[in-house]
Amino acid sequence: MKPADPTVTCRAVRLSAPGRPLVDETLEAAQPGPGEILVRVKAAGICHSDAHYRAGIGSTRHPLTLGHEIAGVVAATGARVASPRVGERVCLHYLVTCGQCRDCRAGREQFCATGEMIGKDRDGGFAEFVRVPARNAHVLPAGIPFEQGAILMCSSATALHALRKARVAKGETVAVFGVGGLGVSAVQLARALGAARVFAVDVNPAKLALAAGLGAEPVDAMAGDPVAAIREATAGRGVDAALELVGFARTMEQAVEVLAPRGRAALAGLTRERISLAPYRDILNREAEVIGVSDHLASEIPELIAFVERGALDLSGAVTRVVPLAALAINGVLDDLEAFRDDVRTVVQP
Ligand SMILES: [Zn+2]
Ligand SMILES: [Zn+2]
């Protein structure tokens, strides 16, 4: 145990009130309590969810330091922390849960009734330091850069969880709607799980090219109906699994419409729109399944790190922009995300 210096201050970029731009603040660095660690943030991903939280959708506490995709170095540990140790490189699972309730014990910790999300319900990583339970930390191998460790914690983890929920098996065909932060990982992980063909649907030529470079068959949704294009490419059959990672009603409908018999559509994009399906044609007749995807599991994180280590998941092209820990820069990125002028992923480096 090595207590943090209580005089250390912590610069943070915070949401003071919903619907307001984030602001720069200097706080006292939090002290790790029993079972907790203090992490010096080396990289924090900026996620589309952060734009929602800034707008007042979802975030529950104010003022609040946003940032839920975090990698860094352990700066101090509280009592009763055997691992990780001070100086170790770590990435942080963003759900802080009780660990004892029925859902936690069953490994479904995203349904823990007292669970909190780092950067949404408690202070997150747009800061020099973040305090978290030690069990949220996963050791980040030396070969994985901090910025990749950070984005692994949300977009890649949710992509893997979506593929697991869709039960993608060897030899199957998969359609990925949206080649953003999640899609870049989903395309590669689908292949790593043995998918025979992966279609990547987007409207952005650069993203389609990126997906093609990762082994996917690009489908330009601007050039025509992507469902028709995928049906044509599969001799009319459609795909065994479709992932919706955009958050539009229309792409959710397409993810269901494109399914083959016994196909599964996993929906992970966020929207308040309602969707419209033809029950017989789209679901009953095909025994199709429409599956919700919420967050991911702590148990999936070591698996993800292993995929990166053995080269099955290459995130070297996924982080396209780095910004400093400054409200002006982060607000600008959130404005871009809101307007869908997004880079694949931007990371804050304090
Ligand atoms: Zn995120
Ligand atoms: Zn629980």
Side-chain angles (χ1 to χ4, degrees), residues 49-326:
S49 311
D50 293 315
H52 291 298
Y53 304 151
R54 184 181 65 167
I57 305 166
S59 59
T60 58
R61 279 203 1 216
H62 310 96
L64 175 76
T65 305
L66 299 186
H68 57 269
E69 309 179 357
I70 308 166
V73 173
V74 180
T77 57
R80 299 197 298 276
V81 174
S83 166
R85 298 183 182 187
V86 170
E88 267 191 302
R89 303 169 88 250
V90 291
C91 46
L92 305 180
H93 178 46
Y94 65 53
L95 290 177
V96 177
T97 53
C98 78
Q100 334 241 302
C101 69
R102 215 165 80 163
D103 285 315
C104 280
R105 286 202 316 264
R108 303 183 295 252
E109 74 269 13
Q110 72 271 55
F111 303 115
C112 176
T114 58
E116 287 186 328
M117 180 171 163
I118 295 170
K120 172 171 172 271
D121 308 312
R122 54 186 284 155
D123 282 338
F126 296 165
E128 290 176 292
F129 296 97
V130 61
R131 179 175 55 98
V132 296
R135 63 195 178 86
N136 279 66
H138 294 262
V139 171
L140 184 66
I144 305 178
F146 287 112
E147 64 271 20
Q148 292 183 26
I151 60 170
L152 270 180
M153 293 298 98
C154 177
S155 45
S156 303
T158 305
L160 178 61
H161 189 58
L163 289 161
R164 291 277 189 233
K165 293 296 293 180
R167 307 191 303 279
V168 170
K170 260 196 177 57
E172 290 196 324
T173 49
V174 178
V176 175
F177 287 81
V179 189
L182 278 83
V184 166
S185 292
V187 163
Q188 297 182 68
L189 290 168
R191 294 192 58 94
L193 295 176
R197 296 178 77 181
V198 181
F199 297 96
V201 184
D202 208 291
V203 295
N204 179 324
K207 291 181 177 182
L208 288 167
L210 176 63
L214 297 171
E217 299 175 48
V219 178
D220 182 357
M222 291 297 262
D225 176 13
V227 174
I230 292 171
R231 287 221 175 266
E232 196 184 316
T234 54
R237 187 173 175 274
V239 295
D240 300 299
L243 268 53
E244 201 283 344
L245 311 174
V246 185
F248 284 143
R250 189 65 202 116
T251 39
M252 289 191 174
E253 291 158 3
Q254 289 168 340
V256 180
E257 290 165 5
V258 78
L259 294 177
R262 307 184 70 237
R264 291 86 56 197
L267 310 184
L270 302 180
T271 178
R272 286 174 167 181
E273 297 178 291
R274 301 185 75 85
I275 61 173
S276 168
L277 295 166
Y280 179 72
R281 183 197 67 185
D282 297 332
I283 302 176
L284 283 67
N285 186 39
R286 296 184 191 140
E287 293 199 343
E289 294 173 58
V290 180
I291 302 167
V293 179
S294 180
D295 297 313
H296 56 270
L297 307 174
S299 60
E300 287 163 335
I301 291 174
E303 227 185 318
L304 268 179
I305 291 173
F307 278 124
V308 178
E309 280 201 291
R310 66 167 198 263
L313 178 58
D314 175 7
L315 295 174
S316 58
V319 177
T320 47
R321 187 156 49 145
V322 173
V323 296
L325 178 66

